[in-house]
Amino acid sequence: TRSVGVTGVQTCALPISTFHVSSFNGSYKIEGDDPQLIFDISTLGVSGRNSGLLKFDFNCIEKTSESRMQIFWWGDERDGPFEASSVRFTAKNGTLIVPLDASPWWVGLRQVKGLRFDLDNASACRAFSVENISLYQRE
């Protein structure tokens, strides 16, 4: 794999919007039923074709059940997330690699504008973190 785009960019360096969470000891305390972290990556010049693997560190704090995540993405003429351009998976603590290039909605993007990380089951954790976001190209 070859790294591109957001590789090495710490999440704190990316513009972020949050919903249903509050900042809590370096992570995000869940404050509602749809916790979300939205990262604006529009200025990084990332395309779907040159950055198919998403890598990040995930931590579910005070875990009560299996945590499920949904990652959304958008770009080109779209200014926000939609269900078809997303992927769901079980998220275990540690470094996760998500093959976004398995979706034609990702591969076809000329410019990726944003990534949204949702914790699908808000009751699974008291708080969570998403850090060290990187995108890689398969070789």
Side-chain angles (χ1 to χ4, degrees):
T1 59
R2 183 174 69 82
S3 64
V4 295
V6 271
T7 298
V9 175
Q10 297 298 313
T11 53
C12 60
L14 294 171
I16 183 174
S17 301
T18 62
F19 294 93
H20 295 202
V21 297
S22 61
S23 188
F24 174 74
N25 292 338
S27 62
Y28 295 94
K29 183 178 178 187
I30 296 167
E31 301 283 357
D33 60 358
D34 193 15
Q36 304 173 16
L37 307 178
I38 302 172
F39 296 94
D40 178 352
I41 63 170
S42 59
T43 61
L44 300 177
V46 174
S47 77
R49 190 165 303 285
N50 71 6
S51 58
L53 299 174
L54 172 67
K55 179 182 174 184
F56 63 96
D57 296 329
F58 174 76
N59 188 26
C60 174
I61 299 154
E62 293 184 26
K63 184 176 179 177
T64 59
S65 64
E66 186 174 80
S67 42
R68 294 185 312 272
M69 289 199 82
Q70 185 172 14
I71 308 277
F72 292 87
W73 60 85
W74 59 95
D76 297 342
E77 69 284 344
R78 292 193 182 266
D79 290 323
F82 59 109
E83 197 69 26
S85 67
S86 72
V87 63
R88 282 188 163 96
F89 56 93
T90 299
K92 300 203 182 290
N93 286 355
T95 300
L96 303 176
I97 298 174
V98 182
L100 299 179
D101 58 3
S103 168
W105 288 101
W106 176 266
V107 176
L109 285 177
R110 293 177 308 282
Q111 181 186 357
V112 182
K113 294 180 183 175
L115 294 170
R116 183 175 113 187
F117 295 75
D118 286 22
L119 189 61
D120 263 1
N121 51 340
S123 63
C125 314
R126 178 169 175 241
F128 71 102
S129 64
V130 171
E131 299 177 312
N132 302 318
I133 297 171
S134 303
L135 287 164
Y136 293 88
Q137 179 180 22
R138 294 183 202 247
E139 288 183 348

